[in-house]
Amino acid sequence: MWVKPQEVLLANALWVTEESTRYFVLQHRKGHGKSRGLSSLLVGTMDSIFDSKPPPYRILHQTPSSEVYWLIACSMTRQEILKDWEWIFKNVSDTLNTFDNEEDITEFVSCKIESIIAVRQDHQDADDEDTKAFKTTSEKFHRLFVLPKDEKLVNYYSCSYWKGRLPRQGWLYLSVNYLCFHAYILGLDTKLHLRWSEVTELSKTNSLLFPDSIRVATREKDYHFSMFLKKNETYSLMEQLADIAAKRLIDDKRCFNEDKDLLYKLSKNVPKKASFLKRDLDARAHSEAYRLMFRLPATEKLDGSIDCTLMTPFNKKHVAGRLFLSQNYLCFESRVKSLVSLVIPLRDIKVVENIENNATNSLLDKAIIVTTKNDVDKTNFLFAQVLDREFLVRKISELLSRTKTPIPCFETLSMRSSESSTDAHSISSSEEPTPWKCQPPLMTLFPLSPIPEVHKKQKMKEKQWELHFNEFGRGISMYRTTDVARLVLLGIPDNLRMDIWMSFSGAANERASYPGYYRSLVDQALMKHSTANDEIERDLHRSLPEHPAFQNAVGIDALRRILCAYALRNPNIGYCQAMNIVASVLLIYCAEEEAFWLLATLCENLLPDYYNTRVVGAVVDQGVLDNLISEYLSSLHAKLEQLGMINIISLSWFLTIFLSVMPYESAVNIMDCFFYDGAKVIFQIALMILDWNQEKLLKCQDEGEAMQLLSDYLMGIYNDEGRGAVRNKDYENQKRSISIQTLVYEAYTRYGFLTTGEIERLRLKHRLRVVQELEDNSERNVIRSVISDNFFSAQEVQDLLSVVREELLSQKKHMPEKYDVTQQPYEAYKVDFEYFKLLFAALSPWGKGEQSESLAARIFRLLDENRDGFLNFRELVAALGFTCSADPAQRLKLLYIIHLPPLLCMSDIESPIRNEAGDEIASEATEFFDNLEQQSIVLETLSNVSEPSTPTPGIQSSDSIKSDGLLSNQQIGAGEPTWEVKSLTNLRSVVQCTDSKINLKSVPKMTQPHFIMLWKTVYDIFQTQPDDQETYHSIANVGTLLFELGDVGKQFFVNRDESEDSLIAAAAAVVYDPTKIIDNSPDKNGNPSMKGEIEWYITVEQFLASVLNAKPLVDFFSKRTSLSDNIGQFKSKRFTRLQSFQESQAMKV
């Protein structure tokens, strides 16, 4: 790589000259390569510790009379530097001899190199993603850890890794999927690489043994890193990457994709980041914090922020704070926490204008005014003291120009996991959705008998809120202050709940962005048959059954619509039983469409992962609550742990936001606070309930007593002001414990210091642990389900499972649901043919020869029971077990069967794979059959055997595998005739049967061409074994014997008895050609009936008896292969799909 000429004063310090001419010098760096001299070790150590390691090869320019050298080229590889060296001789050296002045020579060389660089730069993007230094480090990272090129490095940090009690100073590399460390000290290489998905815990520690360090825990061990220059930045990035990995394990559709929009974003004063990915991840972290702060849609990305003041008309003051801007919103947060905040959708902004500076009022310097589109109640927002006002106005104008009016269309919002719900989109044109209409709040259609005192209090609250709206504004863009928080704590009046819940939760933003979406969803959902819809149907009449709205078809239909619509929108969640209770309460207070959007916001933003099949979010929050109880109620924590209650109480409380454990009229006040303040509210309430019952709980003798105590307390929480829309039927007989207003107020007073940020940090900590526990449980279930097949030990199965799991994660493909109770555990881990052939070549003793890929394809097809182009984990274990650890008879049965039709067709025989590596052995096998040809006339019948001339549908020939490079999932097992399906099923059952008394007459006889291929395969399998003459002598003898048995069979062919139970599927040996008149239909037992020619054949019994009488062959087929050892070597090779199959064949096991 040519570089701009740079002056070098000491040319030979730390460098070794390889070649030199009058004007140029080629050098390599000391410490590079296999050199182990003291100076090389010192230079290598210094370069590793200080990260000063330059490219190891370089070219210098020098004139004879000058002591100054000029660096003109450098390279990471010798091959590349030699190309530059040759180019110099061809294009520059001869010209230099024509110069008289050495200064002119140096100037000419410099100009020549700079012109080359300039030409190359013209073809590159002006705005490069990463710095040159970072690109060099990224190349080093991939080279050190042999990772695929698409594995993106995010950042790297200098630190020490504690190996034992000694620190190794080196570099920590953090990529999207891996944590890696490398140190090189005095010739000792220390390498470490961990997948983020293996991390169970991250923490900062400061112990005597590991001072001021970061601890990374996995299932196997703990790793400690210290001596960071940027410890907080490193830890934050590690948390973020581990969280991405954990979320992907929960839902593998949450894969990481770079946000290329950042490259083209109009920005200013943005700190320069070493890598584009680091900038991307920082932007994601800021955007997530921004969305949490203002309850914005999950797709919203923060564009930037700037300091300014907001003029608040309700008190005529200018409040200092920060203005935030994203694609669809302009937001403000005061510097003093909770003093005032503001959310303005860009769709509502009419114009943004500058205000001229006022000499008499410095508070209005550099001010802008934002005018909204509301013609009736036109609202202006005034921001002042904006440092870069012109840029801000230009930026807002740019975003406004991109803001489009929402189009009422179903496609405006893609459903979650469209891949898993493609059938949701398909509606027959002949079907018409049943007419329906959105219902208003059900409390208006089914009002309860009024209670004068309650009605009076509701009216008083409504009046207070109306006064507040008049002063602070209404809807999404109201000024949010401590005054509104105070009103929320007292409880929102029934008639205003819908509008206020929608505004504060962020659901109003979603609804406004996608008009018509709900109706489109419902029209599709009602005509879709699914498991979720069936579960919903069962639970409809269990939802708030005491309320008249749900004793009527109107309420039941509305509930059905929003639950079915959400199940269609988000198939990953579908339906969870707790959702019906939450949805029914939402329908009481909200119109139908508003209830849908509140449910969506709750499930996806406020309580993420709560309602999936494993309720991961609720389990994570159990851990968070456990953490909080341990910290703030330590004495009670020990008691609850002793009683084993923490997990029980939190799950029932959190899933329904207390609706299922306390009277509805009380629980809705908690929902008021929940939609206003987010998920931290449920933790504050839970801590307060436990705090108040602490003394009684400490005296409880068992779990049942403690649960009854809490149950009575919760059901005794009353709300005299909230019995308007819903009410407790046992209100008069209620054993009162505390009013909901007091509970909420005390919870905010005592535990108000809990912040959303702290809850999110605790969620991350426990998410890592919970996800790993679920993974461990899943893997244990898989191992338990396949270990009974007795192919491998539990440790070997565990090692194989880890390899498959690593592959599934690295390929970023959608994995089947691991925790689906309707399927077997091993169905969650599947491999396609591309990966199976690599595993087969690396792990199986049959996978070392030239026919390895062909054998792998036939075994794959035989064991792919459901013909979906994948082997599930049990089938994979069987495929390897049959060749690595099964008894000799079972292995030989498999070898025999994979050389029968329909697994081996005539095209495979006519054009087999030929590789240079196998020529010698192949020629030996061919010579063997040529000799037999001279001794027997039966080979004349080969040309007359009626076999398929084209590959059997459903699998490619070996030749086509080689030419195509892969076996597509659609081609394997697709479009097979019925007799082939039956044949494969019966052949599979014969291979899998371990009963020695099985009637092998059911196995089809083998014709001569197939036997020849079988025996060539035997030679091929043995080619990697030690050169043992006795073994090859046995192979020749057994082959000769079987050939003679085939001749004997031919003599008695006409008189043979048809077996009673042979395979109908053996008809695969014959494929009809309409141009031929010969009738080759099988007999009643499926054996080929050759009426035109007498057939040569052998039986599986003859094959087994002959081979099992040859001790060298029996020894080979009895030898058990150590799967764990082979897997260790396979991992060390770090194979990827980009590597050729020939490379995998070269592996020595």
Side-chain angles (χ1 to χ4, degrees):
M1 179 178 68
W2 302 107
V3 297
K4 186 176 181 180
Q6 302 169 20
E7 193 174 295
V8 178
L9 294 177
L10 298 174
N12 295 317
L14 312 181
W15 291 84
V16 178
T17 299
E18 290 189 5
E19 295 183 41
S20 63
T21 65
R22 181 179 174 85
Y23 297 111
F24 299 100
V25 180
L26 173 62
Q27 297 181 325
H28 75 260
R29 181 83 167 174
K30 287 184 178 179
H32 178 75
K34 298 181 180 179
S35 174
R36 284 293 178 270
L38 180 60
S39 61
S40 295
L41 292 176
L42 289 172
V43 172
T45 301
M46 181 182 69
D47 286 342
S48 176
I49 291 175
F50 296 106
D51 198 37
S52 59
K53 194 169 187 177
Y57 298 97
R58 71 180 185 181
I59 298 174
L60 303 178
H61 162 65
Q62 185 210 24
T63 53
S65 62
S66 173
E67 295 183 358
V68 177
Y69 289 79
W70 296 87
L71 174 66
I72 60 172
C74 61
S75 175
M76 299 300 296
T77 64
R78 180 177 178 80
Q79 184 180 7
E80 186 180 352
I81 204 71
L82 287 177
K83 285 183 180 178
D84 293 341
W85 184 255
E86 291 174 7
W87 187 89
I88 286 173
F89 277 94
K90 290 180 181 178
N91 298 280
V92 178
S93 292
D94 294 341
T95 309
L96 298 185
N97 295 326
T98 63
F99 287 91
D100 298 326
N101 190 328
E102 289 187 355
E103 291 183 2
D104 293 342
I105 290 174
T106 300
E107 185 178 349
F108 173 78
V109 171
S110 297
C111 291
K112 189 76 173 175
I113 300 301
E114 288 177 3
S115 65
I116 296 171
I117 295 171
V119 169
R120 290 184 180 179
Q121 283 181 342
D122 287 342
H123 300 289
Q124 296 176 357
D125 294 332
D127 187 7
D128 206 353
E129 295 180 15
D130 300 331
T131 63
K132 288 184 179 178
F134 187 85
K135 284 185 174 180
T136 304
T137 304
S138 183
E139 290 172 2
K140 175 184 173 184
F141 163 71
H142 286 95
R143 193 173 64 255
L144 280 172
F145 301 102
V146 199
L147 294 171
K149 288 295 181 185
D150 60 352
E151 181 60 36
K152 298 291 184 71
L153 179 66
V154 180
N155 213 348
Y156 60 103
Y157 301 94
S158 173
C159 71
S160 291
Y161 163 54
W162 290 81
K163 191 170 185 180
R165 296 193 175 185
L166 294 175
R168 304 288 177 93
Q169 183 65 32
W171 291 87
L172 183 70
Y173 300 89
L174 306 181
S175 71
V176 173
N177 295 302
Y178 293 93
L179 177 154
C180 302
F181 176 85
H182 176 250
Y184 179 85
I185 299 178
L186 298 179
L188 292 175
D189 236 354
T190 302
K191 287 185 183 179
L192 169 72
H193 67 272
L194 303 172
R195 225 181 215 289
W196 289 116
S197 56
E198 297 171 0
V199 175
T200 58
E201 189 178 350
L202 284 172
S203 60
K204 294 179 183 177
T205 60
N206 193 9
S207 63
L208 187 63
L209 190 59
F210 304 112
D212 197 27
S213 63
I214 294 175
R215 172 175 161 267
V216 180
T218 65
R219 295 184 184 96
E220 289 78 24
K221 62 180 291 188
D222 292 355
Y223 304 87
H224 293 267
F225 303 91
S226 61
M227 298 177 68
F228 287 96
L229 294 175
K230 301 177 180 178
K231 181 181 175 183
N232 291 334
E233 179 187 321
T234 309
Y235 185 73
S236 296
L237 181 56
M238 291 168 82
E239 276 192 320
Q240 195 174 3
L241 292 168
D243 192 37
I244 290 172
K247 286 178 176 175
R248 189 184 170 218
L249 287 176
I250 296 171
D251 176 6
D252 61 3
K253 295 169 196 66
R254 299 182 187 176
C255 55
F256 178 83
N257 294 308
E258 295 173 79
D259 181 10
K260 293 293 185 181
D261 291 344
L262 285 174
L263 288 174
Y264 312 106
K265 190 177 81 169
L266 177 64
S267 57
K268 200 169 184 180
N269 301 323
V270 177
K272 181 66 177 175
K273 300 293 192 307
S275 76
F276 172 74
L277 263 181
K278 180 66 170 70
R279 180 184 172 192
D280 186 1
L281 286 167
D282 285 350
R284 286 167 190 260
H286 293 149
S287 293
E288 190 169 349
Y290 166 68
R291 290 192 298 267
L292 282 172
M293 186 187 300
F294 298 105
R295 302 277 153 61
L296 299 176
T299 55
E300 204 63 20
K301 293 184 288 189
L302 179 64
D303 199 284
S305 61
I306 191 168
D307 287 331
C308 67
T309 63
L310 170 66
M311 200 281 249
T312 50
F314 51 85
N315 60 5
K316 304 295 189 293
K317 289 185 178 179
H318 291 265
V319 179
R322 195 160 187 84
L323 184 71
F324 299 86
L325 196 59
S326 59
Q327 318 100 292
N328 299 297
Y329 296 91
L330 185 152
C331 304
F332 177 86
E333 176 71 14
S334 61
R335 194 171 297 163
V336 177
K337 185 182 175 183
S338 303
L339 185 61
V340 64
S341 65
L342 186 65
V343 176
I344 310 173
L346 293 186
R347 63 178 178 270
D348 293 342
I349 295 178
K350 185 176 182 179
V351 65
V352 179
E353 299 172 299
N354 288 337
I355 297 179
E356 293 185 9
N357 291 342
N358 190 332
T360 60
N361 189 351
S362 60
L363 293 175
L364 292 176
D365 281 350
K366 297 182 178 179
I368 63 172
I369 187 167
V370 177
T371 306
T372 59
K373 295 177 182 176
N374 192 335
D375 295 328
V376 178
D377 182 22
K378 194 170 289 186
T379 308
N380 296 322
F381 301 94
L382 196 151
F383 301 92
Q385 298 184 19
V386 183
L387 295 178
D388 200 339
R389 180 174 63 174
E390 299 305 322
F391 180 79
L392 176 63
V393 171
R394 184 152 54 99
K395 188 70 184 177
I396 296 174
S397 300
E398 176 196 318
L399 292 172
L400 283 173
S401 66
R402 297 182 193 169
T403 304
K404 299 176 182 177
T405 304
I407 303 171
C409 175
F410 172 68
E411 285 76 15
T412 52
L413 184 63
S414 62
M415 290 185 302
R416 316 272 163 166
S417 181
S418 58
E419 296 90 346
S420 61
S421 61
T422 50
D423 58 336
H425 295 271
S426 57
I427 298 177
S428 172
S429 57
S430 62
E431 293 185 51
E432 288 294 333
T434 306
W436 61 278
K437 66 174 184 176
C438 278
Q439 298 297 337
L442 295 182
M443 66 178 184
T444 62
L445 298 180
F446 302 92
L448 302 181
S449 55
I451 303 173
E453 298 83 7
V454 173
H455 182 71
K456 184 178 179 182
K457 288 178 180 178
Q458 288 284 321
K459 288 300 179 184
M460 287 176 62
K461 282 187 178 181
E462 286 180 24
K463 189 174 182 181
Q464 287 179 316
W465 276 93
E466 289 299 335
L467 291 172
H468 181 84
F469 291 149
N470 291 336
E471 190 172 0
F472 295 90
R474 189 170 193 148
I476 297 174
S477 299
M478 69 184 296
Y479 292 93
R480 305 179 188 192
T481 66
T482 52
D483 294 317
V484 74
R486 199 174 299 113
L487 289 174
V488 170
L489 293 187
L490 294 173
I492 301 171
D494 294 343
N495 292 333
L496 297 177
R497 274 205 165 99
M498 179 178 73
D499 292 337
I500 295 171
W501 283 358
M502 290 289 289
S503 296
F504 290 150
S505 66
N509 296 321
E510 294 276 14
R511 185 185 185 282
S513 300
Y514 306 105
Y517 174 65
Y518 174 66
R519 179 166 288 277
S520 298
L521 269 184
V522 172
D523 286 343
Q524 296 192 54
L526 294 180
M527 291 185 291
K528 181 175 181 289
H529 300 288
S530 67
T531 305
N533 285 10
D534 293 340
E535 292 174 357
I536 289 167
E537 207 62 39
R538 285 197 298 268
D539 285 348
L540 287 176
H541 295 278
R542 304 175 191 170
S543 312
L544 225 64
E546 61 271 24
H547 198 283
F550 299 103
Q551 298 166 5
N552 186 286
V554 174
I556 293 293
D557 290 346
L559 181 60
R560 177 187 294 110
R561 286 194 291 269
I562 68 167
L563 291 175
C564 290
Y566 187 75
L568 179 60
R569 165 187 166 84
N570 194 343
N572 289 338
I573 290 177
Y575 170 72
C576 176
Q577 279 192 325
M579 291 169 66
N580 64 318
I581 298 172
V582 176
S584 58
V585 172
L586 292 176
L587 282 169
I588 295 291
Y589 295 99
C590 306
E592 187 177 325
E593 186 169 358
E594 279 73 7
F596 167 80
W597 284 112
L598 282 167
L599 181 67
T601 302
L602 186 147
C603 293
E604 294 161 14
N605 299 337
L606 298 174
L607 297 177
D609 303 315
Y610 255 61
Y611 299 102
N612 56 26
T613 52
R614 295 152 286 161
V615 292
V616 175
V619 177
V620 168
D621 280 354
Q622 285 178 350
V624 174
L625 181 62
D626 184 43
N627 214 114
L628 294 172
I629 296 172
S630 174
E631 186 171 352
Y632 301 116
L633 301 170
S634 53
S635 57
L636 179 61
H637 180 265
K639 183 67 177 181
L640 292 177
E641 218 169 36
Q642 177 192 337
L643 297 174
M645 281 182 56
I646 293 178
N647 293 347
I648 301 173
I649 59 175
S650 56
L651 196 63
S652 60
W653 294 3
F654 291 177
L655 274 173
T656 59
I657 322 172
F658 295 94
L659 287 167
S660 62
V661 294
M662 67 171 66
Y664 293 119
E665 67 267 22
S666 300
V668 290
N669 276 39
I670 296 176
M671 291 183 71
D672 293 340
C673 301
F674 174 75
F675 284 127
Y676 177 75
D677 251 341
K680 70 171 187 172
V681 170
I682 59 178
F683 295 100
Q684 292 172 334
I685 299 293
L687 286 171
M688 196 67 248
I689 291 169
L690 293 172
D691 193 347
W692 261 333
N693 289 277
Q694 183 170 195
E695 292 183 9
K696 294 178 182 178
L697 286 168
L698 289 172
K699 296 175 183 176
C700 290
Q701 300 301 312
D702 55 43
E703 175 194 332
E705 184 183 352
M707 288 300 294
Q708 189 61 50
L709 170 69
L710 288 174
S711 178
D712 292 343
Y713 181 84
L714 288 165
M715 290 309 296
I717 297 173
Y718 61 92
N719 183 7
D720 291 335
E721 303 173 4
R723 294 182 298 133
V726 290
R727 65 184 62 151
N728 180 9
K729 59 182 178 181
D730 298 323
Y731 176 78
E732 299 299 333
N733 302 319
Q734 185 181 26
K735 294 180 181 178
R736 296 189 164 202
S737 54
I738 190 174
S739 75
I740 187 62
Q741 289 80 8
T742 305
L743 174 63
V744 170
Y745 179 80
E746 289 296 326
Y748 267 82
T749 303
R750 295 197 193 183
Y751 298 102
F753 54 82
L754 290 178
T755 63
T756 302
E758 184 179 353
I759 297 299
E760 289 300 319
R761 281 191 294 274
L762 289 172
R763 276 178 169 174
L764 165 61
K765 172 185 172 182
H766 291 281
R767 189 181 294 119
L768 295 177
R769 175 187 58 79
V770 168
V771 167
Q772 291 302 333
E773 287 176 357
L774 288 169
E775 288 292 303
D776 289 345
N777 290 336
S778 172
E779 291 184 11
R780 278 194 292 270
N781 291 336
V782 173
I783 293 170
R784 196 181 299 117
S785 65
V786 302
I787 199 70
S788 58
D789 294 339
N790 297 319
F791 286 114
F792 301 109
S793 67
Q795 184 58 51
E796 287 176 313
V797 174
Q798 172 70 55
D799 293 341
L800 180 60
L801 184 60
S802 69
V803 169
V804 173
R805 183 171 174 268
E806 171 77 14
E807 170 66 10
L808 291 175
L809 289 170
S810 64
Q811 291 305 311
K812 303 174 185 175
K813 288 185 177 180
H814 170 58
M815 291 184 284
E817 175 56 63
K818 299 189 189 73
Y819 310 96
D820 187 351
V821 294
T822 63
Q823 67 175 15
Q824 293 291 342
Y826 49 75
E827 291 288 349
Y829 297 90
K830 295 185 176 185
V831 297
D832 60 10
F833 176 70
E834 278 298 296
Y835 194 60
F836 172 72
K837 73 180 182 184
L838 287 180
L839 289 175
F840 185 77
L843 308 181
S844 171
W846 295 11
K848 314 305 174 198
E850 68 170 10
Q851 295 190 43
S852 171
E853 191 167 352
S854 176
L855 290 176
R858 280 178 260 154
I859 293 173
F860 186 97
R861 185 178 176 211
L862 175 66
L863 294 178
D864 181 13
E865 188 167 349
N866 60 359
R867 301 163 49 233
D868 63 348
F870 292 91
L871 292 185
N872 63 42
F873 188 71
R874 187 176 189 178
E875 292 167 343
L876 173 64
V877 169
L880 295 174
F882 283 134
T883 61
C884 294
S885 62
D887 64 75
Q890 206 167 9
R891 297 193 207 190
L892 291 169
K893 275 194 296 181
L894 174 68
L895 185 62
Y896 181 92
I897 282 172
I898 61 175
H899 287 83
L900 291 175
L903 293 168
L904 179 64
C905 56
M906 202 61 195
S907 60
D908 293 314
I909 298 172
E910 292 169 350
S911 56
I913 298 176
R914 298 191 182 277
N915 287 338
E916 291 181 6
D919 278 348
E920 185 178 345
I921 301 300
S923 62
E924 200 172 326
T926 304
E927 183 182 347
F928 167 75
F929 286 110
D930 287 343
N931 292 334
L932 286 178
E933 231 178 24
Q934 296 169 11
Q935 300 169 16
S936 175
I937 59 170
V938 292
L939 290 177
E940 296 172 6
T941 61
L942 277 175
S943 59
N944 297 322
V945 174
S946 181
E947 274 287 345
S949 60
T950 57
T952 305
I955 192 163
Q956 294 171 313
S957 67
S958 302
D959 193 48
S960 96
I961 291 172
K962 184 181 179 185
S963 62
D964 292 349
L966 58 89
L967 205 60
S968 72
N969 298 342
Q970 289 76 21
Q971 287 171 308
I972 301 179
E976 295 173 323
T978 304
W979 60 265
E980 290 196 23
V981 176
K982 290 181 179 178
S983 178
L984 288 173
T985 301
N986 291 325
L987 290 174
R988 188 182 306 114
S989 65
V990 170
V991 171
Q992 292 173 342
C993 182
T994 57
D995 185 1
S996 59
K997 297 180 181 179
I998 183 176
N999 188 351
L1000 293 177
K1001 289 183 179 179
S1002 63
V1003 181
K1005 298 172 176 60
M1006 181 175 284
T1007 60
Q1008 195 177 75
H1010 294 87
F1011 170 70
I1012 291 174
M1013 286 301 296
L1014 166 61
W1015 215 243
K1016 284 184 178 180
T1017 299
V1018 172
Y1019 270 97
D1020 189 65
I1021 289 173
F1022 276 86
Q1023 71 168 297
T1024 56
Q1025 301 303 308
D1027 192 6
D1028 184 355
Q1029 291 302 317
E1030 183 184 357
T1031 301
Y1032 285 109
H1033 184 65
S1034 295
I1035 295 174
N1037 285 343
V1038 173
T1040 304
L1041 175 61
L1042 287 170
F1043 226 95
E1044 291 173 352
L1045 288 172
D1047 287 340
V1048 173
K1050 178 182 177 182
Q1051 294 173 24
F1052 296 99
F1053 186 88
V1054 178
N1055 300 320
R1056 80 187 192 281
D1057 294 328
E1058 294 181 345
S1059 58
E1060 295 292 332
D1061 54 350
S1062 67
L1063 295 169
I1064 295 173
V1070 180
V1071 172
Y1072 292 101
D1073 187 340
T1075 62
K1076 295 182 180 179
I1077 312 208
I1078 300 174
D1079 181 10
N1080 292 330
S1081 58
D1083 62 25
K1084 69 177 183 180
N1085 298 308
N1087 285 314
S1089 178
M1090 302 297 181
K1091 296 180 181 177
E1093 290 291 336
I1094 305 299
E1095 181 63 81
W1096 182 104
Y1097 70 88
I1098 62 170
T1099 64
V1100 67
E1101 295 101 322
Q1102 293 170 335
F1103 174 72
L1104 290 174
S1106 302
V1107 176
L1108 291 175
N1109 276 324
K1111 187 176 183 302
L1113 301 186
V1114 173
D1115 290 344
F1116 173 78
F1117 286 106
S1118 301
K1119 184 179 178 182
R1120 182 183 174 88
T1121 302
S1122 172
L1123 199 64
S1124 293
D1125 291 345
N1126 290 354
I1127 287 173
Q1129 294 182 35
F1130 179 69
K1131 284 182 174 180
S1132 68
K1133 296 290 183 182
R1134 289 202 164 272
F1135 281 94
T1136 68
R1137 289 171 180 267
L1138 299 178
Q1139 289 176 289
S1140 68
F1141 183 69
Q1142 283 71 23
E1143 286 181 288
S1144 66
Q1145 284 179 317
M1147 291 177 62
K1148 297 298 180 185
V1149 180

